[in-house]
Amino acid sequence: NKKDERGIVIRNKAILVAQGHTQEEGIDYDDVFSPVARIEAIRLFLAYASFKDFVVYQMDVKSDFFYGKIKEEKFRFKDVKTASTPIETQKPMLKDEDGEEVDVHMYRSMIGSLMYLTSSRPDIMFVVCTCARFQVNLKVSHLHAVKRIFRYLKGQPKLSLWYPKDSPFDLVAYTDSDYPGASLDIKSTTKGCQYLRSRIISWQCKKQTVVANSITEAEYVAALS
C-alpha cells in the first residue's frame, strides 16, 4: 500500500518480494523489498529479444564503460603497454611464499573491480577467479598477474557480447576442468558456459569441492555440476 504524508492509503501496489525474505505479519509485513534481476536473466531477455526481433527501448544505464574508465584512472593504468592475453599461459600462478608482500587493500580493490566486469566479459572470468584466491597471502607476482588483466582490458576496449538475430534458439552447454593447474590444493577448477546457439547467456568458473585423482575424474565432476 502506498500512503501519503498523513498515512492514508492512496494506492494499492503489487510488487514481488526479493528471494530470501519471508514476510511475517507483525514483523516485516508492511516492509517492501525490491526484486533484483539476476544478470543471467537480463542476458536471456536480450537473447530472446534478438531472436524474436523485438525492439528494446531501455534496460538500464550503460555503466560498464564509465565504471571501467574510473578504475583505469584510479589504478594508474592509463599509460601502460597492452597485453594480448589476460594470463601467461606458460606460467601458472603459485603461492610464491618467498616473494615480496604487497598492499592487500589495493589488491582486493582491483579484484573487486574485475569481478564487476566479469558480468559482461567472460574472457577474464577464469584468470580473475584464479587471482581472487590469493587475497590473503598475496605477493608481488600475484599483483603482476592482476595488472596484466588490466593491460589486456586496455587493449580490448571494444570486445563485447554479440547476439545475432538470424540464429536458432536451442540450448548448447560447454564444460571443462583445469586438472593440470590444480597444483595449489589438488582441486581442479570447473569452467563452463551456456549458449542459445550463438548467444552466450551465462558462464561460470568455480573450484571443485572434491579432489580428483585423474583428468577423467575431474571432467566427470565438471560435467555433473
Side-chain angles (χ1 to χ4, degrees), residues 30-47:
D30 295 326
D31 296 336
V32 175
F33 300 95
S34 299
V36 179
R38 289 173 59 90
I39 188 65
E40 292 85 358
I42 297 176
R43 295 194 206 104
L44 182 61
F45 168 78
L46 292 175

Side-chain angles (χ1 to χ4, degrees), residues 75-83 147 150-151 154:
F75 300 126
R76 300 176 183 177
F77 285 103
K78 198 170 183 179
D79 302 311
V80 296
K81 293 183 179 180
T82 60
K147 287 182 177 180
F150 279 91
R151 289 167 49 211
K154 183 174 178 60

Side-chain angles (χ1 to χ4, degrees), residues 86-106:
I87 188 174
E88 293 188 38
T89 56
Q90 303 299 326
K91 189 177 180 181
M93 293 187 64
L94 303 174
K95 290 184 178 180
D96 193 14
E97 297 179 353
D98 298 328
E100 181 184 351
E101 296 183 354
V102 296
D103 182 15
V104 63
H105 300 291
M106 175 62 72

Side-chain angles (χ1 to χ4, degrees), residues 69-139:
K69 292 293 290 184
I70 293 176
K71 291 302 178 182
E72 181 183 273
E73 296 177 4
K74 175 181 178 181
F75 300 126
R76 300 176 183 177
F77 285 103
K78 198 170 183 179
D79 302 311
V80 296
K81 293 183 179 180
T82 60
S84 58
T85 59
I87 188 174
E88 293 188 38
T89 56
Q90 303 299 326
K91 189 177 180 181
M93 293 187 64
L94 303 174
K95 290 184 178 180
D96 193 14
E97 297 179 353
D98 298 328
E100 181 184 351
E101 296 183 354
V102 296
D103 182 15
V104 63
H105 300 291
M106 175 62 72
Y107 187 87
R108 290 176 179 174
S109 179
M110 295 169 73
I111 290 294
S113 301
L114 292 171
M115 288 299 294
Y116 174 86
L117 288 177
T118 57
S119 63
S120 59
R121 295 291 298 260
D123 52 326
I124 65 171
M125 188 72 179
F126 175 76
V127 61
V128 172
C129 290
T130 301
C131 291
R133 299 172 187 171
F134 298 93
Q135 297 187 70
V136 178
N137 299 314
L138 61 104
K139 307 295 181 179

